[in-house]
Amino acid sequence: MGSNRVYQIEEKSKAFASYGKGLVYIGDMTFLDNLDEVKDDDILILDERIGDDPNMKILSSYIIKNRKDKEEILKILSLYEKKSPSEWNRSYESMMVEWEMHNLLHSLGYKINRTTDVDLNNNDEHFYDDAILKKIFRL
């Protein structure tokens, strides 16, 4: 994870952390639905780590195009997992490949209902932990 940017944990906010452009909110759907004053550059992440296939879903992920922003957000996800451990377990590289793939497909208009958000669920680790895909996306 090559970003030198600084992100920080938010202590006095409903947001878990902030990244270079805004705040990162992580929680269940009730928490996310009840947020006030979410700005355009804020990131909403649905925590679905409890269940048969633990998942962290970055909502409207297609909007985030800058690689450094993605790096920061993935670092924040890793920190969130460290602070609140679960069975969710994804590698940085596979998450980045999946996110890049979703964005590419969304930009082509392919399955918009499935490529608008990126689901970083455990079961997809083996699909995106692929040497060829890593080379394509320069990871």
Side-chain angles (χ1 to χ4, degrees):
M1 294 190 263
S3 175
N4 291 327
R5 287 176 155 176
V6 177
Y7 57 87
Q8 66 183 39
I9 301 302
E10 293 293 311
E11 300 294 339
K12 297 178 181 176
S13 169
K14 287 184 179 181
F16 174 73
S18 60
Y19 76 112
K21 292 183 179 172
L23 298 173
V24 178
Y25 296 92
I26 304 173
D28 62 17
M29 192 53 78
T30 301
F31 171 77
L32 296 177
D33 282 342
N34 289 308
L35 290 172
D36 297 330
E37 300 186 35
V38 174
K39 296 183 175 65
D40 288 344
D41 287 324
D42 292 345
I43 307 301
L44 302 179
I45 301 174
L46 180 59
D47 182 348
E48 299 178 312
R49 295 177 302 151
I50 296 176
D52 293 336
D53 186 15
N55 183 34
M56 295 293 274
K57 182 179 203 169
I58 303 171
L59 304 177
S60 298
S61 57
Y62 76 97
I63 293 170
I64 306 153
K65 297 179 180 4
N66 183 284
R67 173 71 67 99
K68 296 216 181 291
D69 292 340
K70 291 175 192 171
E71 289 172 356
E72 285 185 73
I73 293 162
L74 292 179
K75 285 180 182 180
I76 289 168
L77 279 179
S78 177
L79 184 59
Y80 182 82
E81 174 62 24
K82 285 179 185 169
K83 288 182 84 72
S84 180
S86 71
E87 297 299 314
W88 182 70
N89 186 22
R90 289 291 302 267
S91 69
Y92 166 79
E93 291 84 7
S94 75
M95 290 189 293
M96 185 61 82
V97 165
E98 184 170 0
W99 196 344
E100 295 284 356
M101 182 71 76
H102 270 72
N103 280 12
L104 173 64
L105 294 173
H106 189 277
S107 72
L108 297 172
Y110 183 77
K111 295 189 178 182
I112 298 295
N113 61 328
R114 297 199 50 188
T115 58
T116 296
D117 310 318
V118 63
D119 285 293
L120 302 172
N121 56 312
N122 283 1
N123 286 345
D124 284 352
E125 174 73 18
H126 69 281
F127 291 122
Y128 296 101
D129 187 25
D130 181 88
I132 293 172
L133 290 175
K134 288 177 188 176
K135 283 188 184 240
I136 290 171
F137 292 110
R138 298 181 182 175
L139 294 174

